[in-house]
Amino acid sequence: MSENAKLLEVKGLKVHFPIEKGIVWKRRVGSVRAVDGVDFHLSKGEALGLVGESGCGKSTTAMAVAQLERATAGQVILEGQDLRTLSPENLRRARMNFQIVFQDPYSSLNPRMKAGDIIAEPLRIYSRRGILNLTEAQIAGKTAALMDRCGLASNFSDRYPHEFSGGQRQRIGIARALALSPKLILADEPVSALDVSIQSQILNLLKDLQKEFDLTFLFIAHDLAVIEYFCDRIAVMYLGRIVETAPSAELYRNTLHPYSKALLSAIPMPDPAQERKRSRIILKGDVPSPSAERTGCPFRERCPVAVERCAHETPLLREISAGHRSACHLS
C-alpha cells in the first residue's frame, strides 16, 4: 500500500493516567496504562474494527486519536499532519476531517437543544469563526438534507432528544457527525446501546453512508458479529495493546493469537446443533491490572498455551502472512 493511500496512521500511541496519593501534597505513585504502545493505520475508504474486552483501551484509543484525551506519547498522523503537534487553531480546522459517533445516543446529545439545532451546531460554529462561509438559510437547508438522509422526518427538527427513541437519537448523532463533511468517522460502539432490530438498521445506514460519502471508519465494538459484518480489517486489543490484526475474513478463518481464539469462541452460533457441538475457550483468571509493572507477554497468565519464554520476553506484533500480524511467540 502506498503512503498516499493512508488517511490515518497511529504510531506508538500511549495514554497513561497518573495514580496520585496525598490530600494536600500529592505525589505520583504509579500509572494506569490504558493504552500502552498502539500502532495501526487506516486506508482511505476502509473500516477498521477495534475489538476486545471492556477496559482493554478501545475507547481511550479513539479519544486519543480525536485529541479529546491527552496522549502520553506517540503520533496521530492524519493526512500527513501529526495532530498532537498542531496549534489550537490548526487543530480546530483539522477537526473538520474527523468526527465521532458516541456510544450512548442520549447522553451525547444536549437535552436542552432541539434536534435541528444539534445537527446545525457544527456548521454555525465554523461559520462564526470564518472557516466556513454559510448563511443561516444554507445551514437550514443542509440540516434538512442531513436529517432526510439519515432517516429523520423534517418535522422532527423542533423536537428535543427525550422525544426520540434510541435509534432515532443515534441517527441525530450520525447526522451531526456528517455535518462538516468529514473523511474519518470514529464510531465508539455506536450500536451497543440499541435493540438488536435497531442495530441492523443503524449498521446498514452507516454502510450506505460510507459508500455514498467515501468515509473511513475506526469502528469500536465488543460484538465480533457486528465487526465481521461492518469492517474490512480487525485489530484485537488486550490490556492496552494490539495483539492481532488481519482482514476480517482471514481473522475468522485463520485465527493466530490465543486471546483472539477465545473471543471468537464466545460468538453464539445461529444453528443450535452446531452451538451444542462446539467448544468454548474459557479463559482462567481476571484481566491483570493495567497499573502493574509487567514483563513478558501481558496475556500469559490467562493463556492456555503459554510457555516459559512468554514470562520473560514481550512478543512483538509481527507479520505472519500478508496483512496478518500477531503478537504471540507461538504464532
Side-chain angles (χ1 to χ4, degrees):
M1 181 182 60
S2 68
E3 290 294 321
N4 292 333
K6 291 181 181 178
L7 178 69
L8 175 71
E9 193 168 11
V10 175
K11 299 179 179 179
L13 185 67
K14 295 183 179 182
V15 182
H16 295 177
F17 298 105
I19 301 174
E20 297 178 334
K21 282 189 176 181
I23 298 175
V24 179
W25 304 104
K26 292 186 177 182
R27 67 187 190 278
R28 183 167 180 166
V29 296
S31 297
V32 175
R33 299 167 177 81
V35 180
D36 200 24
V38 164
D39 299 270
F40 64 86
H41 69 268
L42 269 167
S43 301
K44 292 179 180 178
E46 80 165 336
L48 173 66
L50 200 57
V51 302
E53 294 171 287
S54 295
C56 71
K58 307 184 299 296
S59 294
T60 305
T61 299
M63 294 301 105
V65 169
Q67 304 303 297
L68 296 179
E69 196 69 68
R70 185 182 296 275
T72 306
Q75 294 177 292
V76 180
I77 302 170
L78 181 69
E79 294 191 312
Q81 286 186 311
D82 186 353
L83 299 180
R84 294 192 64 217
T85 65
L86 296 181
S87 66
E89 179 60 29
N90 288 334
L91 178 60
R92 187 176 294 112
R93 290 178 178 273
R95 284 190 190 281
M96 294 180 65
N97 291 320
F98 61 93
Q99 294 292 310
I100 300 180
V101 177
F102 294 95
Q103 177 179 358
D104 188 340
Y106 188 74
S107 64
S108 63
L109 304 179
N110 188 335
R112 295 179 176 84
M113 291 180 67
K114 296 177 181 179
D117 292 330
I118 290 172
I119 297 169
E121 185 179 27
L123 298 170
R124 290 190 175 119
I125 290 173
Y126 277 79
S127 293
R128 284 198 300 267
R129 291 184 175 273
I131 299 173
L132 294 178
N133 185 23
L134 298 175
T135 64
E136 192 59 34
Q138 289 172 321
I139 291 174
K142 186 164 185 177
T143 300
L146 285 168
M147 292 186 70
D148 179 67
R149 183 61 192 87
C150 292
L152 295 165
S154 58
N155 61 340
F156 286 0
S157 62
D158 289 329
R159 296 186 183 182
Y160 291 92
H162 73 272
E163 299 180 82
F164 294 94
S165 67
Q168 289 173 327
R169 286 195 289 262
Q170 196 60 289
R171 290 173 186 270
I172 295 171
I174 293 169
R176 177 180 60 185
L178 294 175
L180 295 174
S181 302
K183 299 175 182 178
L184 171 65
I185 297 292
L186 307 170
D188 186 10
E189 302 205 35
V191 297
S192 63
L194 306 176
D195 293 339
V196 174
S197 59
I198 305 302
Q199 286 184 10
S200 61
Q201 296 177 18
I202 298 300
L203 287 172
N204 288 331
L205 171 63
L206 290 173
K207 263 190 168 296
D208 292 342
L209 293 172
Q210 182 184 18
K211 293 177 183 177
E212 183 175 341
F213 298 108
D214 194 25
L215 296 172
T216 303
F217 276 87
L218 177 61
F219 194 97
I220 296 170
H222 60 268
D223 188 332
L224 283 162
V226 169
I227 288 288
E228 181 184 20
Y229 172 74
F230 190 82
C231 297
D232 306 301
R233 288 191 299 125
I234 299 175
V236 181
M237 282 192 75
Y238 181 78
L239 208 63
R241 300 179 182 181
I242 291 178
V243 297
E244 185 168 6
T245 63
S248 296
E250 168 68 13
L251 184 76
Y252 283 80
R253 182 178 63 250
N254 181 32
T255 315
L256 297 178
H257 198 280
Y259 177 64
S260 304
K261 292 178 181 179
L263 286 182
L264 289 175
S265 77
I267 301 176
M269 303 186 73
D271 187 342
Q274 292 183 0
E275 178 69 24
R276 285 192 294 269
K277 290 178 182 177
R278 72 169 184 158
S279 59
R280 278 281 313 272
I281 300 175
I282 307 297
L283 296 177
K284 59 185 180 181
D286 297 320
V287 179
S289 170
S291 62
E293 291 280 355
R294 309 187 61 80
T295 58
C297 176
F299 185 60
R300 70 181 187 279
E301 296 170 358
R302 305 176 71 197
C303 181
V305 296
V307 296
E308 182 65 24
R309 181 186 180 189
C310 301
H312 307 292
E313 186 180 339
T314 302
L316 301 175
L317 187 63
R318 56 194 175 90
E319 192 163 45
I320 308 301
S321 60
H324 197 159
R325 305 167 73 200
S326 175
C328 178
H329 295 309
L330 305 179
S331 293

